[in-house]
Amino acid sequence: MTAAQPEVDHAGRDVNTQAGDVLLKVEGAKKYFPIKQGIIFQKEVARVHAVDGVDLEVRSGETLGLVGETGCGKSTLARLIAGLYPMTAGTVSFDGSDITNLSRKKMRPFRRDIQMIFQDPYGSLNPRRRVGSIIGDPFDIHGVADGAERKKRVQELMEVVGLNPEHFNRFPAEFSGGQRQRIGVARALALRPKLIICDEPVSALDVSIQAQVINLLDDLQNEFGLTYIFIAHDLSVVRHVSDRVAVMYLGKIMETGPVDDLYGLPRHPYTNALLSAVPIPDPDRADSRERIILRGDVPSPVNPPTGCPFHPRCPKAQDICVQEMPPLEPVFVDPPTHRTACHFPVPEGEDISQCTPGIDQSGTGPLVGADLSAITTGS
Amino acid sequence: MGRFIVRRALFGLVVLTIISFAVFWLFFVFAPGDKAGNFCGKNCTPERLAQIRALYHLDEPWYSQYWLYVKRLVLHGDLGYSFTNQTPVRSIIFDRAPATASLALGAAVIWLSLGIPIGILAATKPRSLRDRAATIFALGGLSIPTFVLGLVMLYLFFYQLTIHGVAFFPGNGYAPLTENPWEWVKHLILPWFTLAIVSAASYSRITRGSLLEVLGEDYIRTARAKGLSERRVIYRHGLRSALTPVVTLLGIDVGTLLGGAIVTEQVFGLQGIGQTAVQAVINGDLPIIFGTVLFAAVFIVVANILVDIAYAMLDARVRLA
Amino acid sequence: MTLIAADEVAEQKGGGGKDPQPTKAIEGRAPLQLAWARLRKDKVSLACLGVIVLLVLVAIFANQLTDLIGHPPNEQYRDEGLQPNGLPVAPSSFFWLGGDEVGRDVLSRIIHGARVSLLVGVVATAFAVLIGVTIGTMAGYFGGVIDTFLSRTMDVFLSFPFLLFAISLVAVKGASLRISIFVIAFFIWANVGRIVRGQVLSIREKEYVEAARSLGASDLRIMVVDVIPNLVAPVIVYSTLLIPTAIVFEATLSFLGLGVPIPTPTWGNMIATSQSTYLQAPWYLLFPSLALFITTLAFNLLGDGLRDALDPRAARVLARK
């Protein structure tokens, strides 16, 4: 993935010709969180539609980038895949077996294969425990190694992720943010999983440290043949690490495709808006480009809009967008791997900042609204 | 808000039912031996034994006894009659309530006017000499048991003054406010201060703690940054939210004390609910124990509801679901 | 974003994960060790810890100490210990802290009273913490119906007029050391439970709990390994403050004549019996009261110091001002 290892990079990225087997398949995943009220008897008064019908495939050895604004459901989707929340509807299959809503006991063997790296390097490590026992947890929980053997393995892991194995007995508070994230990586790596779900693993880190952690993840992928689901709201990071990208908005996938296709020819108006907000280092080019400013805020997932969830803010919205959610499928001349859920996808060369919607969007708030640059640069 | 109050009130009723049931169970099921004999006491006569059996339906199973007791209470407001002097429990409680209420409310006024200013003084200059002095006062007050302070008060202000010829404070008893306000004050001043000093300690502590926390908030820094005077920052912006926990504590303390300031009443010989209850426990006067426990529980439950409502009104962040 | 360059810069700054130099202090300091280091600088807390250790030693070696003095706690010295008019003797070389109303050595009785106070204080607190942490952790961790049920149960316990109910219970079951401990633990555990529940609610949302779950850890393991260790600090502080509460509670029960039965000496029943003669023999009130006061003060001050040592956030609030 990095420029330092171009051969591997291209081989990994070229999904059309050299795709691995499907490792993870998510179909129609839905997660609604009930909002309850009442003192003794609680009744459900509303639901948060966090994930609302997601289909997803991850092939072994690749990195799938999952992008979207805060609150679009990408972290919930990650937790559904990791089996941390029961699903409202849909199925998840891993390596050919259905792991949807498995009981704790039945899920255990799969947990060895699916691991997570968390966003907050301060919150994801128990401050009361020594690093050695945190990294050794997977061995302990799955009864893999004990005593001296466990210690040896933990120290090997620390070496692998670039920590000093001598720091075995230290507490998380004695490490920097980047080092703590390495601890989290070591813990995720302990059981040699097949799939690692990285939930915004670098969002909380300084930019210079982000690069180190990303390069570490990249090296580990090559060394251990890992598959990643990489969640981020920083489009540059996602572009850098991913083979394929999926864009989420209000619990639904809006567009998905190989990274170069999606960044080169974004078809969904929302993807266009996101990408137009990425800063361009060249001031001349930056000036010539029109930034797409979206109307209003992201609607509440408690009452998501009908039809396409993006219609209240979309510059190309028409009546049909209010009524019908478009299917996720290839548009124009796109290859089958590049799919877009839009009634009016953006053809090459169209400037959607010039478009005017065909429906009344006055309910969505003033035009000033959301400037996506804060979201997409991860600041 | 209305629905919230109704729901809290319903839960309050549940609590009262559980408490009444627990007391009933304690004396009728849990207590060993012949119940009627136990309740009857030492100078028992066959007539009284029969009377007690009839009154409490002791020949019936305990749940129907409980049911009959509750029915009488709900339908007629009847708490039964004292075993020792045959007076209705209800009128005993109403008789004794003014002394307890005078003690609790008067003491509350004093401890608030002591505790809150001390807390503010300490919080506005943390780690200063006056903060340390306030801490010593608070921890001293927290550590001294009420009955110890009461006895010391009696020794110093009643006994020492009396033997030096200044018989100002009466040693015990209660004089109703309606009969003689001056005597009322004279009888209550020592108990008031005893109770107030012990409680003021925790109030100064809580005021200090929560005010310090509030003064560290960003909006206080904003208020300072826009050039408000320190006085205005503390009194207009800080104190309002800092006093929320004080209100909570006050509601619960006063609620508890209105049901009987047991120790203070005992030390100063004030004939309030608490002293009546202790006497009843020692004499095994069951109807009075029931009556006072329920009476006290009602105050605690009501105080809790009021505190929740006050909390919602003071603190905009709390939304009543 | 130029990742390679950023990486190099970071390596140059030495901000990378690999530490080029071998480090000297490899052993990390546990959060509790850090707290102890902070506490050691706090002279008041250290002094209080000293007082408490001394008290524990006195309680353990009470028999040896009174043998040394030569006056067993229940031995009545009718000739040397009482004045001709039947009043207690003042402190002297015979009775260092004076005698009581039947001619027993107040010092010996205070030494033995420490046993009861500390035993009741520590054991009742231990039970209350055990129950409170278990129930509070379960309520906070599991949430939902379990939380609703357990929280409401705690609310019911907190709504009991506890002192009144406690003396009723003691009156029914008969006073004893065991019933005192039971009654006190019974009525304070809900306070611990409520605090623990609040803490667990915030710990439960931490990512490390989620991480443990994603590794396949059981609920029990998460509670024991990840949740409860993070409760240690608040529970230590709170227990230190509960012990004096329990000690005062016991003394109050004894004072009301419903504590550990006589002739076992307790500070509470000594103070209670001193009431009849303390106007003439103030030392008999003074010394047990002082023992009680010093003990509770020591625990309260230590709890205060522990809070500062275990929760450096409090100090930070001060520093921000």
Side-chain angles (χ1 to χ4, degrees):
Chain A
M1 292 191 297
T2 62
Q5 286 145 323
E7 324 82 35
V8 187
D9 229 325
H10 281 291
R13 228 177 237 188
D14 202 352
V15 284
N16 290 322
T17 53
Q18 243 192 340
D21 299 332
V22 173
L23 182 67
L24 178 86
K25 197 176 170 80
V26 178
E27 283 178 301
K30 285 186 182 171
K31 177 65 192 178
Y32 299 155
F33 291 102
I35 300 171
K36 287 178 176 172
Q37 273 188 2
I39 287 186
I40 294 176
F41 301 105
Q42 300 209 313
K43 62 169 191 265
E44 190 178 307
V45 291
R47 295 170 141 195
V48 179
H49 299 64
V51 174
D52 206 358
V54 165
D55 299 311
L56 209 66
E57 259 183 29
V58 186
R59 293 174 181 275
S60 86
E62 73 169 349
T63 300
L64 173 74
L66 205 53
V67 281
E69 293 169 81
T70 309
C72 73
K74 50 194 195 302
S75 289
T76 307
L77 180 61
R79 282 160 175 74
L80 288 181
I81 296 169
L84 287 176
Y85 299 148
M87 299 214 323
T88 311
T91 56
V92 179
S93 58
F94 180 81
D95 223 358
S97 356
D98 184 5
I99 58 165
T100 317
N101 295 345
L102 285 185
S103 70
R104 262 209 150 94
K105 221 179 206 159
K106 289 192 178 140
M107 186 67 196
R108 260 178 88 99
F110 293 103
R111 298 224 187 260
R112 298 180 62 161
D113 289 334
I114 306 175
Q115 290 289 313
M116 263 186 99
I117 298 170
F118 292 88
Q119 172 177 6
D120 179 6
Y122 293 88
S124 60
L125 306 175
N126 188 340
R128 298 260 160 211
R129 303 183 59 212
R130 291 172 196 275
V131 168
S133 64
I134 293 177
I135 300 178
D137 253 1
F139 298 130
D140 184 25
I141 292 167
H142 290 274
V144 174
D146 252 333
E149 166 71 9
R150 190 190 298 168
K151 186 177 168 182
K152 201 185 110 219
R153 290 229 209 160
V154 167
Q155 290 189 324
E156 277 168 18
L157 279 168
M158 293 178 77
E159 190 103 52
V160 166
V161 299
L163 291 167
N164 185 346
E166 308 271 292
H167 294 170
F168 181 80
N169 262 330
R170 291 197 173 180
F171 285 89
E174 295 167 87
F175 293 87
S176 69
Q179 288 173 317
R180 284 164 174 236
Q181 205 55 301
R182 287 171 194 265
I183 298 170
V185 172
R187 172 172 59 186
L189 205 62
L191 297 170
R192 295 288 140 85
K194 292 178 180 153
L195 173 69
I196 296 185
I197 303 165
C198 312
D199 183 13
E200 309 213 19
V202 295
S203 311
L205 304 176
D206 288 349
V207 175
S208 61
I209 311 292
Q210 288 189 358
Q212 294 177 30
V213 173
I214 287 172
N215 289 342
L216 169 69
L217 289 172
D218 188 29
D219 292 346
L220 294 174
Q221 185 169 40
N222 296 329
E223 199 175 334
F224 299 106
L226 298 169
T227 306
Y228 289 141
I229 295 178
F230 193 99
I231 298 172
H233 51 232
D234 184 335
L235 290 171
S236 320
V237 169
V238 169
R239 176 172 208 168
H240 182 83
V241 300
S242 309
D243 302 307
R244 285 194 307 123
V245 177
V247 179
M248 270 185 93
Y249 184 79
L250 272 181
K252 291 192 165 77
I253 290 186
M254 296 277 121
E255 185 170 359
T256 170
V259 67
D260 291 333
D261 290 6
L262 191 132
Y263 279 72
L265 256 181
R267 294 301 192 184
H268 200 285
Y270 179 61
T271 318
N272 273 276
L274 279 181
L275 289 175
S276 83
V278 175
I280 299 173
D282 177 352
D284 294 335
R285 268 178 62 215
D287 276 351
S288 69
R289 186 189 53 167
E290 204 64 47
R291 183 179 278 185
I292 304 159
I293 306 284
L294 291 178
R295 221 171 223 282
D297 289 325
V298 182
S300 157
V302 177
N303 273 313
T306 55
C308 170
F310 190 53
H311 82 253
R313 304 172 73 197
C314 181
K316 298 189 76 176
Q318 301 295 332
D319 284 336
I320 187 170
C321 304
V322 184
Q323 283 142 22
E324 238 179 78
M325 175 68 196
L328 188 64
E329 57 188 17
V331 294
F332 301 124
V333 292
D334 288 344
T337 46
H338 186 178
R339 287 174 291 161
T340 310
C342 187
H343 293 296
F344 307 101
V346 183
E348 192 168 0
E350 186 187 28
D351 181 359
I352 65 163
S353 62
Q354 306 301 321
C355 295
T356 38
I359 56 165
D360 177 26
Q361 293 178 327
S362 53
T364 43
L367 214 119
V368 275
D371 180 347
L372 290 169
S373 58
I375 294 147
T376 49
T377 55
S379 52
Chain B
M1 193 71 174
R3 277 189 56 207
F4 168 77
I5 295 173
V6 169
R7 264 207 316 265
R8 285 297 276 112
L10 281 179
F11 181 65
L13 276 180
V14 172
V15 172
L16 287 178
T17 312
I18 293 173
I19 290 175
S20 68
F21 190 80
V23 181
F24 203 88
W25 179 81
L26 179 65
F27 281 93
F28 282 84
V29 186
F30 195 56
D34 170 29
K35 310 292 182 292
N38 279 350
F39 303 154
C40 199
K42 286 167 201 144
N43 312 319
C44 200
T45 57
E47 298 88 70
R48 248 180 89 189
L49 209 59
Q51 184 198 1
I52 286 166
R53 278 188 203 284
L55 194 59
Y56 285 93
H57 307 272
L58 285 178
D59 302 322
E60 295 185 37
W62 61 271
Y63 45 85
S64 73
Q65 293 171 25
Y66 176 69
W67 174 242
L68 289 165
Y69 178 81
V70 171
K71 207 163 84 179
R72 227 177 34 226
L73 172 64
V74 173
L75 292 183
H76 311 287
D78 182 4
L79 287 164
Y81 294 84
S82 158
F83 287 155
T84 35
N85 56 15
Q86 318 301 314
T87 355
V89 172
R90 194 172 51 166
S91 62
I92 294 178
I93 287 178
F94 285 153
D95 249 22
R96 306 290 163 85
T100 299
S102 306
L103 173 62
L105 298 177
V109 172
I110 299 173
W111 81 55
L112 285 178
S113 39
L114 275 176
I116 294 177
I118 291 176
I120 295 173
L121 282 179
T124 47
K125 267 205 178 169
R127 302 271 151 105
S128 66
L129 201 63
R130 73 184 190 206
D131 183 23
R132 273 164 216 276
T135 304
I136 290 169
F137 165 78
L139 288 174
L142 279 180
S143 305
I144 192 158
T146 315
F147 59 91
V148 170
L149 184 64
L151 291 174
V152 171
M153 288 279 222
L154 272 181
Y155 182 77
L156 294 178
F157 296 105
F158 166 64
Y159 178 70
Q160 287 297 334
L161 283 185
T162 308
I163 59 171
H164 289 96
V166 191
F168 178 76
F169 294 111
N172 64 37
Y174 171 73
L177 174 66
T178 45
E179 283 171 22
N180 187 338
W182 178 236
E183 280 300 310
W184 178 74
V185 171
K186 268 168 68 174
H187 278 87
L188 280 168
I189 215 155
L190 290 180
W192 276 343
F193 273 92
T194 301
L195 208 48
I197 289 172
V198 172
S199 309
S202 35
Y203 284 79
S204 72
R205 206 85 192 117
I206 281 182
T207 308
R208 174 186 182 271
S210 85
L211 190 56
L212 266 181
E213 196 161 307
V214 169
L215 290 181
E217 300 274 348
D218 285 343
Y219 72 89
I220 294 292
R221 203 185 328 190
T222 313
R224 284 202 180 110
K226 73 180 183 190
L228 291 187
S229 71
E230 194 62 22
R231 245 187 118 75
R232 220 177 141 80
V233 169
I234 290 169
Y235 291 96
R236 289 291 288 275
H237 295 258
L239 211 52
R240 191 188 150 88
S241 37
L243 284 186
T244 315
V246 175
V247 171
T248 310
L249 188 64
L250 179 70
I252 287 163
D253 276 355
V254 171
T256 309
L257 284 177
L258 282 176
I262 295 177
V263 176
T264 318
E265 289 176 19
Q266 191 72 10
V267 171
F268 290 98
L270 273 172
Q271 293 96 3
I273 306 280
Q275 203 201 24
T276 311
V278 174
Q279 281 310 312
V281 167
I282 289 165
N283 297 336
D285 198 336
L286 195 63
I288 297 187
I289 298 175
F290 273 167
T292 47
V293 170
L294 277 183
F295 183 77
V298 167
F299 276 107
I300 293 174
V301 167
V302 171
N304 271 307
I305 297 174
L306 291 180
V307 161
D308 284 351
I309 295 170
Y311 210 81
M313 283 154 95
L314 277 173
D315 193 335
R317 285 170 302 184
V318 179
R319 267 190 43 226
L320 303 174
Chain C
M1 195 152 77
T2 48
L3 290 163
I4 300 304
D7 204 3
E8 279 164 7
V9 170
E11 288 294 346
Q12 280 160 11
K13 281 198 293 192
K18 279 182 185 131
D19 210 335
Q21 293 123 17
T23 42
K24 282 158 270 167
I26 285 161
E27 185 75 13
R29 288 216 284 178
L32 285 182
Q33 286 173 297
L34 290 171
W36 170 238
R38 276 193 289 266
L39 191 70
R40 265 182 25 197
K41 289 188 203 128
D42 179 358
K43 290 195 188 76
V44 176
S45 299
L46 276 191
C48 291
L49 196 61
V51 169
I52 291 166
V53 169
L54 192 72
L55 269 165
V56 171
L57 290 177
V58 165
I60 292 173
F61 297 108
N63 285 330
Q64 287 79 352
L65 278 172
T66 43
D67 282 351
L68 214 63
I69 298 166
H71 302 150
N74 287 327
E75 185 75 33
Q76 299 182 3
Y77 297 88
R78 294 195 172 275
D79 301 325
E80 307 96 315
L82 285 174
Q83 293 175 34
N85 57 7
L87 284 172
V89 293
S92 65
S93 58
F94 184 69
F95 281 167
W96 291 355
L97 300 183
D100 73 359
E101 81 286 354
V102 287
R104 293 174 296 197
D105 187 348
V106 170
L107 177 60
S108 293
R109 292 182 70 73
I110 287 177
I111 287 172
H112 277 261
R115 271 193 167 180
V116 175
S117 285
L118 286 178
L119 191 70
V120 173
V122 172
V123 176
T125 302
F127 275 122
V129 167
L130 198 69
I131 304 170
V133 168
T134 310
I135 303 280
T137 306
M138 276 170 36
Y141 182 82
F142 288 113
V145 186
I146 296 177
D147 181 28
T148 307
F149 176 74
L150 294 177
S151 295
R152 293 295 137 189
T153 308
M154 290 191 268
D155 284 350
V156 171
F157 269 87
L158 293 172
S159 299
F160 266 83
F162 58 88
L163 187 54
L164 201 49
F165 198 80
I167 58 180
S168 316
L169 190 66
V170 172
V172 169
K173 287 303 284 181
S176 70
L177 185 66
R178 217 183 284 172
I179 198 85
S180 292
I181 291 173
F182 171 78
V183 158
I184 294 167
F186 193 70
F187 286 105
I188 57 181
W189 74 265
N191 294 289
V192 187
R194 201 138 83 160
I195 285 172
V196 166
R197 174 182 171 270
Q199 297 276 339
V200 173
L201 278 182
S202 69
I203 294 172
R204 186 178 68 162
E205 299 303 321
K206 292 273 169 31
E207 277 190 340
Y208 57 79
V209 171
E210 215 164 24
R213 214 172 279 151
S214 79
L215 289 171
S218 64
D219 285 328
L220 187 67
R221 186 193 150 93
I222 295 175
M223 280 195 264
V224 172
V225 173
D226 287 314
V227 176
I228 292 177
N230 284 288
L231 293 172
V232 168
V235 166
I236 286 180
V237 171
Y238 202 63
S239 314
T240 316
L241 299 173
L242 268 186
I243 291 174
T245 311
I247 288 176
V248 169
F249 202 145
E250 185 281 321
T252 305
L253 284 180
S254 285
F255 174 76
L256 295 173
L258 294 158
V260 179
I262 45 174
T264 308
T266 72
W267 296 341
N269 69 28
M270 290 174 77
I271 294 168
T273 44
S274 80
Q275 268 183 292
S276 55
T277 54
Y278 81 94
L279 298 179
Q280 296 79 31
W283 60 85
Y284 187 26
L285 167 66
L286 179 69
F287 292 117
S289 299
L290 265 185
L292 190 54
F293 179 66
I294 289 170
T295 308
T296 47
L297 186 64
F299 276 106
N300 278 327
L301 282 171
L302 180 67
D304 220 45
L306 275 174
R307 197 201 327 257
D308 288 346
L310 288 168
D311 180 15
R313 202 185 68 91
R316 217 179 302 143
V317 170
L318 289 175
R320 261 205 290 184
K321 207 201 127 151

